[in-house]
Amino acid sequence: MLYARQAVCVDPLLERDYEEHLGEEYGHDRMLRDAHGVTAEVDDPVLEAACTWFVAQMFQLDEAQKVVLVHMVVETSGRIFGEAAAGIHAPNAADDFFTLHAAADDDHSRIGRHRLAALPPSEFPRLRATCRRAWSQMDLIHERIAAWIREGR
């Protein structure tokens, strides 16, 4: 999703913010796999479809909607999930994936707010609709992750 957003960004101010954000996120997937010994790929068509929805939106939404989707939904979700998981997986490890995301995603959730603040109030109903759709997808992702955990996979 972040690569797609970066590739199609047309706002020079957001492009710089996005590039910095992408640099901070790079390699986090490997960090998680290495720290927790994950070797298997997840084969879940529902999870794949829900995650792919976020990537597809980067080619369909305008920059304000992308700020809402990526930063107000995905990054906020990452912070909440990171805080919860850090307490379970590594309550005393400051360099754990989940602890890192709990802190970093709090900052990342604020990226692009200056762009939203410059919009006229008439834009906010459309952005609220984007936010609701994105949270529905994020809820589906979390439900699938929870189902995998409950099944002991």
Short mmCIF file of all heavy atoms in Angstrom, two decimals, residues 8 24-25 30 48 78 87 104 120 153:
data_model
loop_
_atom_site.label_atom_id
_atom_site.label_comp_id
_atom_site.label_asym_id
_atom_site.label_seq_id
_atom_site.Cartn_x
_atom_site.Cartn_y
_atom_site.Cartn_z
N VAL A 8 2.14 6.98 -6.91
CA VAL A 8 1.14 7.80 -7.59
C VAL A 8 0.88 9.15 -6.92
O VAL A 8 0.00 9.88 -7.34
CB VAL A 8 -0.20 7.02 -7.75
CG1 VAL A 8 0.00 5.80 -8.62
CG2 VAL A 8 -0.79 6.66 -6.41
N GLU A 24 10.82 4.82 7.16
CA GLU A 24 10.68 4.34 8.54
C GLU A 24 10.05 2.95 8.61
O GLU A 24 10.32 2.19 9.53
CB GLU A 24 9.86 5.34 9.36
CG GLU A 24 10.58 6.65 9.59
CD GLU A 24 9.71 7.70 10.28
OE1 GLU A 24 8.56 7.40 10.65
OE2 GLU A 24 10.19 8.84 10.42
N GLU A 25 9.20 2.65 7.65
CA GLU A 25 8.50 1.35 7.65
C GLU A 25 9.31 0.24 7.00
O GLU A 25 9.05 -0.93 7.26
CB GLU A 25 7.16 1.48 6.91
CG GLU A 25 6.16 2.38 7.57
CD GLU A 25 5.53 1.79 8.81
OE1 GLU A 25 5.73 0.59 9.10
OE2 GLU A 25 4.82 2.53 9.51
N ARG A 30 10.34 -7.94 7.96
CA ARG A 30 11.42 -8.87 8.29
C ARG A 30 11.69 -8.88 9.79
O ARG A 30 11.99 -9.92 10.36
CB ARG A 30 12.70 -8.48 7.53
CG ARG A 30 12.69 -9.05 6.13
CD ARG A 30 13.96 -8.72 5.39
NE ARG A 30 13.59 -7.66 4.47
CZ ARG A 30 14.27 -6.55 4.29
NH1 ARG A 30 15.39 -6.34 4.92
NH2 ARG A 30 13.86 -5.64 3.45
N GLU A 48 -6.25 -11.91 2.32
CA GLU A 48 -5.58 -11.36 1.14
C GLU A 48 -6.46 -10.34 0.43
O GLU A 48 -5.99 -9.27 0.03
CB GLU A 48 -5.21 -12.49 0.19
CG GLU A 48 -4.41 -12.01 -1.00
CD GLU A 48 -3.95 -13.15 -1.89
OE1 GLU A 48 -3.90 -14.31 -1.43
OE2 GLU A 48 -3.65 -12.86 -3.05
N GLY A 78 -2.62 0.31 13.63
CA GLY A 78 -1.31 -0.24 14.00
C GLY A 78 -0.89 0.15 15.40
O GLY A 78 -0.31 -0.66 16.13
N GLY A 87 2.09 -5.71 25.01
CA GLY A 87 1.87 -6.16 26.38
C GLY A 87 1.81 -7.66 26.52
O GLY A 87 2.11 -8.22 27.58
N ALA A 104 5.70 4.37 16.94
CA ALA A 104 5.88 4.98 15.62
C ALA A 104 4.54 5.26 14.95
O ALA A 104 4.37 6.31 14.31
CB ALA A 104 6.73 4.07 14.73
N PRO A 120 -12.08 22.58 2.58
CA PRO A 120 -13.34 23.20 3.01
C PRO A 120 -14.21 22.18 3.74
O PRO A 120 -14.12 20.98 3.47
CB PRO A 120 -13.99 23.64 1.69
CG PRO A 120 -13.39 22.75 0.65
CD PRO A 120 -12.00 22.42 1.13
N ARG A 153 -2.90 -21.39 14.43
CA ARG A 153 -2.06 -21.51 13.22
C ARG A 153 -0.78 -20.73 13.35
O ARG A 153 -0.58 -19.81 13.96
CB ARG A 153 -2.82 -21.02 11.99
CG ARG A 153 -4.00 -21.92 11.69
CD ARG A 153 -4.60 -21.49 10.39
NE ARG A 153 -5.84 -22.19 10.15
CZ ARG A 153 -6.44 -22.16 9.00
NH1 ARG A 153 -5.95 -21.48 8.00
NH2 ARG A 153 -7.57 -22.80 8.82
#
